[in-house]
Amino acid sequence: MKLSLLAAALLVGSAAAQNGAQCLYNHHFADGTFIIDQPGSYKLCDDIVFCPHNDINIETASDEEIAQAFDPIEQGNPKYNNNEYALGFFAAIAVQADDVSLSLNGY
């Protein structure tokens, strides 16, 4: 019985966290890693295809073009710290804040 109550409490808590959560869609990842730098609830609301600067055709692009697409330093985007992203985009989502809830929402 205790296990059932715990499971129910977790489901209710999870649903409450998703109400009012910021939805993350593919367009949030168009420039690269989505950085969560504010406390709050976030959830995936789309199948994410992580391909920054998707103006290249990954099937026909050269190795150099693909490497450049995944290199924020090369692109000069001030949003990405040179020390933290020196190896390029290493994750689709980076959490840089406390008190963050992230739901993968079944994806």
Side-chain angles (χ1 to χ4, degrees):
M1 182 67 167
K2 287 183 181 179
L3 184 58
S4 297
L5 290 175
L6 177 61
L10 288 173
L11 287 174
V12 169
S14 176
Q18 287 190 28
N19 290 339
Q22 178 182 340
C23 276
L24 302 179
Y25 297 98
N26 265 311
H27 71 269
H28 289 108
F29 303 88
D31 290 332
T33 299
F34 180 79
I35 300 172
I36 298 176
D37 56 3
Q38 296 295 314
S41 295
Y42 301 81
K43 67 179 176 179
L44 294 182
C45 294
D46 204 356
D47 281 322
I48 304 303
V49 177
F50 188 67
C51 184
H53 304 282
N54 60 5
D55 53 339
I56 65 167
N57 182 339
I58 204 84
E59 298 294 323
T60 60
S62 69
D63 289 345
E64 184 176 327
E65 290 171 321
I66 293 170
Q68 186 174 4
F70 279 83
D71 185 354
I73 309 308
E74 177 84 19
Q75 297 159 12
N77 190 332
K79 176 177 161 183
Y80 302 105
N81 179 298
N82 289 354
N83 294 328
E84 295 169 357
Y85 290 88
L87 296 176
F89 293 118
F90 56 89
I93 298 173
V95 179
Q96 297 180 344
D98 294 331
D99 299 320
V100 169
S101 169
L102 176 61
S103 170
L104 301 181
N105 206 19
Y107 290 100

